[in-house]
Amino acid sequence: RSATFKAMHVHVPASRCTSALQMSVPNSLDTLTSGLASIARLPFGVTVSDTAKRLQLEDGDDDFTLSTLYDIENDRECRRVRERISELDLIVQAVVPAASNSRVFVDPSYEYALPEGSEIPRLVAKKGGSSGEEMVYVGSEDILSYLDATYAVDGSSGSSAAAAAATSADGDIKQQIIDAALQVGSYLPGILRAGRGASVCPAASASSSVPVPRPTKPLILYSYEGNQFCRLVREVLTELDLPYELRSAGKGSPRRAEMAEMTGGSSQCPYLID
């Protein structure tokens, strides 16, 4: 829980801790409902897939860079994309909150500004490193297809492949039941976490009459989608309209050893570097 509170307080002086900001502090009910949201989506977004190419690459061999992901934490389609990113153990250089009242849509001078009404999620990828050819994928289906084709050995991630195999195993009736369960499960996190991670807090809004403090350097978050405490941190980052670099660290990720080295032994997520 300590990483959650660090994420909220580092850049917001006490003088600006209005009731709107204080509502961002997770409580025991938040922890409970976030845990239920994670259970509802099992096994998605928890364990690194055996088919993830990232685990089979030597440093410097990856010719593709995930530059920018425009994201809304409490959005069903965005969640599907983040689950796949966790399963494929990927790094996204900038996850940019893109709620309707985010700087993305209200501040034309913002480096990540988009035209009003742009579809979210939206992924900007580059081939040949950070200065290479830019490719833009819009909508969860296009993004998932790109991720699978580029970062999975057999074209699909572990949990999604397992789910697909299960749905075709024992005839139409079983398939329909599993399909229905997966469909319901995809909506439950949004219901359980209603009101959180879906819009920018008024005290952090770009339209605020008082200047809003922002990080001088990009935040770095070690996280994975299926962790209830990681969700609480990501919700607050959305509500404070703070972009961050995402370093996936699900179960089986080699980044857990990286975290242990930095922390003196702990590989617990979430871990926020400011």
Side-chain angles (χ1 to χ4, degrees):
R1 293 291 295 274
S2 59
T4 301
F5 291 100
K6 178 183 177 184
M8 291 181 300
H9 289 306
V10 164
H11 297 294
V12 184
S15 61
R16 289 192 52 81
C17 285
T18 63
S19 59
L21 270 178
Q22 290 171 353
M23 288 176 63
S24 288
V25 179
N27 56 36
S28 57
L29 180 60
D30 287 312
T31 303
L32 172 62
T33 55
S34 183
L36 293 174
S38 293
I39 292 171
R41 290 301 293 153
L42 286 174
F44 300 99
V46 175
T47 303
V48 177
S49 169
D50 292 338
T51 64
K53 283 184 180 178
R54 184 68 189 88
L55 296 179
Q56 303 178 31
L57 294 172
E58 298 295 332
D59 289 341
D61 287 348
D62 193 351
D63 192 38
F64 296 89
T65 301
L66 300 183
S67 175
T68 309
L69 175 65
Y70 293 89
D71 175 75
I72 303 172
E73 173 61 30
N74 198 357
D75 178 89
R76 174 175 174 266
E77 299 304 321
C78 292
R79 185 177 303 110
R80 295 176 61 207
V81 171
R82 295 193 308 268
E83 286 172 347
R84 196 70 56 88
I85 287 172
S86 292
E87 293 165 1
L88 295 174
D89 199 37
L90 301 175
I91 291 176
V92 182
Q93 292 180 333
V95 176
V96 180
S100 60
N101 63 338
S102 166
R103 285 180 289 167
V104 163
F105 295 118
V106 301
D107 183 1
S109 66
Y110 187 36
E111 61 178 310
Y112 298 113
L114 290 175
E116 185 177 357
S118 295
E119 184 178 351
I120 307 297
R122 182 185 191 95
L123 176 69
V124 180
K126 293 184 178 179
K127 182 177 181 179
S130 57
S131 60
E133 176 189 356
E134 187 173 279
M135 302 167 289
V136 179
Y137 300 90
V138 180
S140 61
E141 293 301 329
D142 282 352
I143 295 173
L144 292 175
S145 295
Y146 166 75
L147 294 177
D148 287 344
T150 307
Y151 296 103
V153 172
D154 61 358
S156 62
S157 65
S159 60
S160 60
T167 58
S168 60
D170 296 319
D172 292 341
I173 295 179
K174 182 176 180 180
Q175 179 175 342
Q176 290 172 8
I177 293 173
I178 295 177
D179 283 345
L182 290 174
Q183 186 76 355
V184 171
S186 70
Y187 286 99
L188 283 177
I191 296 171
L192 289 163
R193 299 301 296 147
R196 300 306 309 265
S199 63
V200 176
C201 170
S205 171
S207 60
S208 172
S209 58
V210 180
V212 178
R214 307 289 184 190
T216 56
K217 296 181 180 180
L219 302 177
I220 300 173
L221 179 65
Y222 288 80
S223 170
Y224 63 98
E225 182 62 26
N227 182 290
Q228 68 191 97
F229 300 110
C230 292
R231 178 180 294 105
L232 297 177
V233 172
R234 294 193 310 266
E235 286 174 347
V236 173
L237 290 173
T238 295
E239 291 163 2
L240 297 182
D241 206 11
L242 296 177
Y244 59 94
E245 178 180 313
L246 172 63
R247 297 186 182 180
S248 298
K251 295 180 179 179
S253 171
R255 283 189 201 95
R256 294 207 168 191
E258 179 182 324
M259 291 172 59
E261 184 175 345
M262 289 189 297
T263 62
S266 174
S267 60
Q268 183 178 358
C269 289
Y271 184 70
L272 181 70
I273 300 175
D274 179 4

